[in-house]
Amino acid sequence: MGSSELHQQHIEIDHRTALSHPLFTPIILLFMVSAVFRLSASNRDAIAYRGFLQKSYYLGTTFRLNWHKAAAFCRSQGRFLVSINSQSQLDEVIEYINKSGFFNANESNLQLWTSGNDLGEQNQFLWTSTGERIAFDRWTQGEPNHGRVNDCTVERCVVLQHYQNGPGATYSFDDRPCEKEYFFMCESLDG
């Protein structure tokens, strides 16, 4: 009998002895259950941690795309069209736009695709990037108005709009035809 066969036989004997001993079975079971709970707790911690991460942005202002192409472009970059769920997230987006110099480049109006739409069910606006309902009430007065052409609703996708001069929206949401071409903003989470 070779040395490796003897070693394997010794391990098999030890393994059978450990399992036949009444004290070892509860200890092994307890170890396995605690390992599962630790793994589950670490997953919850990881999910909670992602909630504290800051978003990073890409502002697409060199070319305009329709909503579908803008969403596809963001995905090709490993990002999503932006979602804005709170005033603090809107403040981050506004700060990013201001730092970009967008309004210094002879632009006075902003029409920017977000991930918001009601393509799945009319008047049930969701952020496509997260699947959450749009609960942050930042709609321009009278919006969403579900613009119609020949009895068909054509305004199903959401822009963030802002007008520098004159009356109009101040960083608010508006529903628009998804086929229109606008600038867009992509987002991802750091980390």
Side-chain angles (χ1 to χ4, degrees):
M1 188 178 284
S3 144
S4 72
E5 293 173 349
L6 183 61
H7 186 286
Q8 184 178 9
Q9 184 180 13
H10 179 64
I11 291 172
E12 289 175 3
I13 292 170
D14 287 346
H15 178 67
R16 284 191 305 255
T17 305
L19 290 179
S20 67
H21 195 281
L23 179 61
F24 286 111
T25 303
I27 290 174
I28 291 172
L29 182 59
L30 181 62
F31 174 75
M32 290 182 348
V33 168
S34 70
V36 168
F37 279 115
R38 278 192 303 245
L39 182 59
S40 176
S42 68
N43 287 345
R44 282 193 309 269
D45 292 343
I47 291 166
Y49 175 71
R50 280 187 70 78
F52 292 109
L53 293 174
Q54 296 295 314
K55 293 181 178 185
S56 64
Y57 301 104
Y58 168 83
L59 181 60
T61 58
T62 55
F63 53 94
R64 291 175 172 89
L65 294 172
N66 70 38
W67 186 89
H68 301 284
K69 288 181 180 178
F73 177 85
C74 290
R75 290 301 305 138
S76 75
Q77 303 300 307
R79 298 171 183 255
F80 298 93
L81 280 172
V82 70
S83 60
I84 304 169
N85 295 312
S86 65
Q87 185 61 49
S88 63
Q89 287 180 348
L90 178 60
D91 292 342
E92 287 177 16
V93 168
I94 292 169
E95 181 181 353
Y96 191 88
I97 291 168
N98 289 338
K99 285 181 179 178
S100 76
F102 177 81
F103 290 114
N104 298 334
N106 298 323
E107 295 285 348
S108 61
N109 300 330
L110 175 69
Q111 313 294 315
L112 190 71
W113 283 128
T114 68
S115 73
N117 69 71
D118 72 342
L119 292 168
E121 183 178 345
Q122 187 168 334
N123 208 27
Q124 299 299 315
F125 284 92
L126 302 174
W127 297 116
T128 302
S129 58
T130 63
E132 298 172 327
R133 288 188 186 272
I134 297 180
F136 180 48
D137 189 9
R138 192 66 187 189
W139 291 100
T140 303
Q141 186 174 351
E143 299 295 339
N145 66 356
H146 303 294
R148 299 174 70 82
V149 173
N150 297 329
D151 256 356
C152 291
T153 301
V154 295
E155 293 186 342
R156 307 296 298 266
C157 296
V158 179
V159 295
L160 177 67
Q161 61 183 359
H162 178 71
Y163 299 104
Q164 284 285 88
N165 304 316
T170 304
Y171 290 106
S172 59
F173 303 143
D174 189 3
D175 58 335
R176 301 285 175 83
C178 302
E179 294 73 28
K180 294 273 290 186
E181 292 186 347
Y182 294 115
F183 294 128
F184 55 94
M185 182 176 260
C186 306
E187 69 180 356
S188 67
L189 291 177
D190 293 332

